[in-house]
Each structure stands twice: as C-alpha cells, then as structure tokens.
Amino acid sequence: MTATPATSGTPAVPAQQPWEPALSVRQVLGLERVLAGQPEVVAGAHRLDRPVRWVHVAEAADVGVMLSGGEMVLTTGVLLAGDEDKQGEYIRSLHRAEAAAVVLGLGRAFPAPPDVMRRAADRCGLPMVVLHRPFPFAELTEEVQSRLLRRKFAAVSLSEAVRTELTGLITAGAPVQRLLDEVARHGGCPVVVTNLAHRVLATAGERPAVDDVLRDWERIARQAGAGTADGWIRAELTCRGERWGRLVLCGYRGDRAAGRLLAERAAEALVLHRLLGGGDGRRGAGPGSAGGTWDSPGSWEEQSARSLLTDLVSGAVPARQLLPRARAAGLPVNRRVFVPLVVGTRDTARLDRVLRLLGLPGIVAGLADDRAAVLLSLAPDQDARALTAHFAARLRSAADAAHTVVAAADARADWADVPAGLREAQQVADAVADSPAALELPSVVRLRDVHLRGLVRLLRDDPHVQSFAERELDGLLQGPDGDLLSVLRTYLATGRNKSRTAQLHHVSRPALYRRLEAIQGRLGVDLDDFEQAASVHIALLAHDAQQG
C-alpha cells in the first residue's frame, strides 16, 4: 500500500468559531507540534475525518478494554515488538473499541512501519499514522485535550446563549419565523419543521439552500430519520406528552454533539412558543395578512400553506421555484391539473374537512377579509368542474354556510399558470362581494358569471381606466356630499328604478328626484340616456374596484 503524507491536503486548524467542528484526525495531524514529528498516514487514509473525542497513551496489547470510543491512541509499540500476533490483536482491539486512530512513534521498537499492523489497520479501516521523528506524547495529549475541553465549553455556553436568546424572543411576542431564522443563523444551515408525516410546516435559512433541501424532501427526510443522511440532525417536538412534529437541521457542518444541543434548544423554544399561545403568531403580518397563531400543528400547516399561496399570488418568487415547497407541503404536483379557488369563509378547518371527506388533494389558507384560498390538485382525467361543484355543494350543505360562494378560476394544467389563476379567483371573489345580486349567483362563480363587474375588476389597475373613472365622476368626488355618490350607486345597481332607490334610502320620491337632479348637474350627464348612464355606471364600478 502506498503511504500518504499526513501533510497532504491537511490544513492547519483554523481559529475557533462558534459551533466549529470538533477536532478530526486530519486536524490533529495538522497541528504544528504534530507536524514536527513528520507524521505519515500508512493505513485508513480515507477515514481521516473521523472525530477525535480524546487522546490516550497506551502500550498494552489489550488496550481496547480501556477505551470507550473516539480516542486517538498514541504508542511506541515497545510491548508489541517481535510478536506479530500481539501486533495484529492490538489493531483489532482498537477497531472493536471504535478508536478514532492509532499513532505509532518509530524508534527502537519499530524503526519502520510494521507490515502486520499496517495491513490489519487497512482491513479494519482504522487510520494508522507513524511519526518519523521522536515526539513528546505528553505535549500532544495536553494540547489536544485542552482544545477539546475549550470546544466543549464553548458549545455548552453557546447552547445556553441560544436558549436565552430564543426565550427572550418568545417573551417579547416574536413570531415563530423569527425564532427559526435565528436557529438557521446559528446553525449556518437550513432549518425545517415537519409534522409526523414529514409534511413541511415551516422553513428558515437562505432561500436557495432551503429550495435545494425541499427538492426531494420526502426521500431525504426519511433518510435523515433513519440516520443515514450526513449532517442532518433532528429533534422531536413534544407537548404534554404528545409528539406532534420534528425540527431538522439540514446539512449541519459542525460537531454533531453541538448540533444536537442547538436542535434541542430550538425544539424547546418552539414547544414553549406553542404553550404560551405563540405571541401574535403572525408571519409577514401587515396589510392583507390574515394573522393567526402557530399554537397547534393545524395552524402551523395553515401558516405554511398561506406562505406558499401568498408567494404564488404575489409573483415575488417564480412559480417553478415554489414547486419544491408545494411538494414538501404534501401537494401532488407531478402530472396534475390545478384548480384555484377563493371561498367566502374564514373557517379553514371546515374547508379541510370537506376536502378530506371528498378525498380531494389540496391546500387551504386563510386570507384577509374573511376569505380563504384553496388550491386543488387533480389528476388529468378527473372532471375539474364537476368536482369543484361537488366541493361547493358539500360546503353549502351546512345550515350556516348555505350562501357561501366559491369563486373559481379555470383549471390550470401548467404549474406556472397557477399564480394567474389564483389572482383571477380573487378578482372574481371581489366582484361577487360588490354585486348586489350575490345571492342569485351560482355556488361556483367564474369570471363569465360576473360580467361587466368582473371585467372592471380585471382592468381596475389600468391607468386609462383609473383616469376614465376620475374624469366621469369628478363632479361628485370633488363635492363634500358623499350621500349623492351612494344614491347614484343604488340607482344604477337597481336598473335606474326610482321607487326602489327611494325605498332603500328611506326618502320620498320628490326628495330622490331632487338628488338625482343634483347628481346630473354635477356630472353634466342625462341619466335617462342609456349610453351616458352606462358610462357613469362603468366609471362607478371602476372607482369602487379601485377603492376595494
């Protein structure tokens, strides 16, 4: 076997950083004092990244009984010289004891690396290093032990610092996302929170790294659970004796023991956050935020769905980049057809129950204005319209939901078209909310069902439409009497029915006539002329859509 110089590719140990890995065999061999002994790796060169838990000087042939695993054993081999059986057993006993490596000082006992020990170490995969120059073992033992103790103390200290920091955030009412962001910062890796079925509830860390983790999430998550994924450390989330989720550090590059401490502190903080009700629990709170808390697994799942749907609607993140998050959240995305819906209810739990009852895969999230978004994922051979109608009918079967309206966009066969579909469903829901005939609409409302009102909703952000509305209504918008605008809105919505308008505004017919005359005078129009009335009506619809 070709010997490998220990200095080849062996960097000096860098200055200590928070959560720095524990010393590996390679790092120990890169220490200045060790390099002075001219170390040479003669076996197990592929295992030099094994962690060194301790350094131990031992000459006895049965040294393995004195070890507990992870030790780097230093020896001169003085009691092994001339006895090849003892030499082979010495290496095998180290292997059984799970020693990290063996370092043999060449000298009177062994002027050259003994072949029996080298071959035995090679078979066992045990790193074996020989020192070509005399070397004081006591100095190496002292330096490595002191470094290891400093690192252990630093890990425990930082663990307590993280616990104090996270507890402070909780008592200050910080949202759970802030806690996870801090954990990701300390760990230098993505953090994922899942339920027991491996569905992703929350993530933190740099977005590209998180997306890479989620791309094949279920397979990797199960490998991590089985302990076969390198650098993945998980902690169970348990509350009142019930296990409800997991927190996973994904690809953590530090010392595994330090990573376990960090994961445990993070899990403790999340459980405490849940027990205390989660503060305000808002994720990205602000205009349009539906609020809610993270104090139960169900609300965690809703927050995850809301985050995904919000990112889809906003267009801030390209839809293709959100595919891993959708898949990790449990939404089927391969060879599927997607149906975006907006439902006039804030009861997301009921929507979830109806989806499960009908066996329809989908995600649900609360929106602002007491609405909820639903994204169905159907097989291409399923009848999207029929299933959507069935969903709406089952939803309306409850007595208190008899008038719940489901706004739907046409099914999307391409995931990239889902954001536009969600925005269309929102626009339909807005148009339905403004319609005086909302109760007469079908249970599933689409863009064609809201006619002119729907068109105006689609065009409300167009500068030409905004300018048209301001120009047509300028005479009323500039005036102080807002009641005239309300009368005009009712008059046009009722098909210019004067009797109905007077009745709805609780005024006499003569009083209504005077107000209509005032409106026509300010606007410079004749409301008895169909074209002029239609122009004012469209302007008013555009004005209301912009205000909404």
Side-chain angles (χ1 to χ4, degrees):
M1 177 178 178
T2 303
T4 304
T7 55
S8 177
T10 306
V13 178
Q16 182 175 336
Q17 299 294 330
W19 300 106
E20 186 181 7
L23 288 175
S24 65
V25 174
R26 188 188 305 277
Q27 288 176 311
V28 172
L29 298 180
L31 295 174
E32 185 175 350
R33 290 186 180 182
V34 180
L35 292 175
Q38 294 182 359
E40 179 186 7
V41 179
V42 297
H46 62 293
R47 305 295 297 276
L48 295 183
D49 290 322
R50 300 174 79 174
V52 175
R53 188 183 62 82
W54 207 244
V55 176
H56 189 65
V57 180
E59 303 288 355
D62 58 349
V63 63
V65 300
M66 296 180 283
L67 306 180
S68 58
E71 295 89 351
M72 173 179 277
V73 178
L74 311 179
T75 183
T76 62
V78 66
L79 299 181
L80 304 175
D83 191 332
E84 293 187 347
D85 290 339
K86 284 186 177 180
Q87 294 170 23
E89 179 55 29
Y90 184 84
I91 295 296
R92 288 189 292 272
S93 68
L94 293 180
H95 172 64
R96 289 193 296 269
E98 298 182 348
V102 59
V103 178
L104 174 65
L106 300 181
R108 285 178 297 176
F110 291 102
D115 286 340
V116 172
M117 294 179 69
R118 182 182 58 77
R119 288 195 300 268
D122 205 33
R123 284 194 297 270
C124 294
L126 177 70
M128 180 176 173
V129 182
V130 296
L131 300 175
H132 289 277
R133 296 186 61 182
F135 183 86
F137 285 169
E139 291 185 11
L140 174 60
T141 301
E142 179 183 4
E143 179 168 349
V144 173
Q145 312 300 48
S146 63
R147 284 176 179 267
L148 292 174
L149 287 173
R150 286 198 304 269
R151 289 165 187 251
K152 288 183 178 180
F153 178 75
V156 173
S157 297
L158 186 53
S159 168
E160 291 307 306
V162 170
R163 172 185 278 165
T164 301
E165 180 180 353
L166 296 182
T167 302
L169 289 174
I170 293 171
T171 55
V176 75
Q177 188 63 43
R178 175 76 185 282
L179 272 66
L180 295 176
D181 289 341
E182 287 301 306
V183 175
R185 183 179 66 82
H186 281 295
C189 64
V191 177
V192 176
V193 179
T194 76
N195 63 13
L196 297 181
H198 302 290
R199 286 197 175 187
V200 174
L201 305 179
T203 62
E206 295 184 2
R207 193 75 259 166
V210 171
D211 288 343
D212 285 343
V213 166
L214 297 183
R215 193 155 284 117
D216 194 13
W217 170 254
E218 186 166 344
R219 180 184 62 81
I220 299 176
R222 295 187 187 280
Q223 286 183 348
T228 58
D230 181 40
W232 284 53
I233 301 173
R234 72 176 190 174
E236 302 296 328
L237 300 174
T238 304
C239 188
R240 298 189 178 96
E242 179 184 356
R243 189 163 57 96
W244 58 271
R246 300 182 182 92
L247 177 140
V248 186
L249 304 183
C250 307
Y252 180 74
R253 295 306 175 196
D255 174 55
R256 191 166 185 83
R260 282 196 296 268
L261 284 174
L262 176 60
E264 288 167 5
R265 296 295 87 81
E268 289 172 2
L270 294 187
V271 171
L272 178 60
H273 192 280
R274 178 183 173 188
L275 287 172
L276 295 179
D280 69 1
R282 293 176 183 266
R283 179 182 182 129
S289 172
T293 64
W294 297 70
D295 60 354
S296 70
S299 58
W300 280 68
E301 291 171 354
E302 182 180 341
Q303 291 281 1
S304 176
R306 179 184 303 149
S307 172
L308 173 60
L309 292 177
T310 299
D311 285 346
L312 278 169
V313 172
S314 68
V317 182
R320 291 294 179 191
Q321 293 184 20
L322 296 173
L323 262 177
R325 287 171 58 188
R327 186 182 293 110
L331 186 72
V333 295
N334 294 331
R335 295 185 297 277
R336 307 292 289 187
V337 171
F338 305 98
V339 183
L341 309 174
V342 172
V343 186
T345 179
R346 62 185 306 172
D347 191 350
T348 55
R350 173 183 289 169
L351 298 176
D352 270 324
R353 286 196 300 272
V354 173
L355 288 179
R356 287 196 298 270
L357 183 65
L358 299 178
L360 296 176
I363 54 176
V364 177
L367 303 175
D369 302 326
D370 294 337
R371 295 178 189 166
V374 180
L375 182 60
L376 301 180
S377 174
L378 307 176
D381 59 350
Q382 290 181 291
D383 189 332
R385 283 183 171 271
L387 289 174
T388 303
H390 192 28
F391 168 77
R394 181 57 66 100
L395 187 63
R396 290 169 65 119
S397 63
D400 59 343
H403 300 301
T404 300
V405 175
V406 176
D410 290 335
R412 262 58 178 178
D414 189 336
W415 173 259
D417 294 333
V418 169
L422 285 166
R423 289 192 290 269
E424 180 181 316
Q426 281 188 313
Q427 291 161 351
V428 173
D430 290 343
V432 171
D434 289 344
S435 174
L439 298 182
E440 301 173 8
L441 291 168
S443 58
V444 179
V445 185
R446 293 180 170 81
L447 200 55
R448 67 173 59 87
D449 298 314
V450 290
H451 305 294
L452 178 61
R453 192 177 298 273
L455 175 64
V456 171
R457 276 281 169 179
L458 286 174
L459 300 176
R460 64 179 175 178
D461 294 326
D462 188 297
H464 296 91
V465 174
Q466 294 171 356
S467 176
F468 168 76
E470 291 293 319
R471 184 174 64 253
E472 287 290 295
L473 301 176
D474 182 67
L476 289 183
L477 297 178
Q478 295 296 332
D481 190 359
D483 181 57
L484 291 182
L485 195 64
S486 177
V487 169
L488 174 63
R489 184 180 293 109
T490 304
Y491 179 63
L492 295 174
T494 58
R496 295 183 293 170
N497 187 319
K498 295 183 175 63
S499 297
R500 181 60 176 157
T501 302
Q503 181 184 10
L504 290 174
H505 282 270
H506 308 289
V507 297
S508 64
R509 290 282 292 270
L512 176 65
Y513 293 156
R514 288 194 294 272
R515 295 183 187 185
L516 290 176
E517 289 175 2
I519 290 170
Q520 292 180 110
R522 289 192 182 185
L523 297 181
V525 299
D526 179 5
L527 292 179
D528 288 330
D529 181 88
F530 177 80
E531 185 173 337
Q532 294 183 53
S535 180
V536 172
H537 193 186
I538 293 171
L540 187 57
L541 289 176
H543 170 76
D544 289 345
Q546 292 155 17
Q547 297 302 309

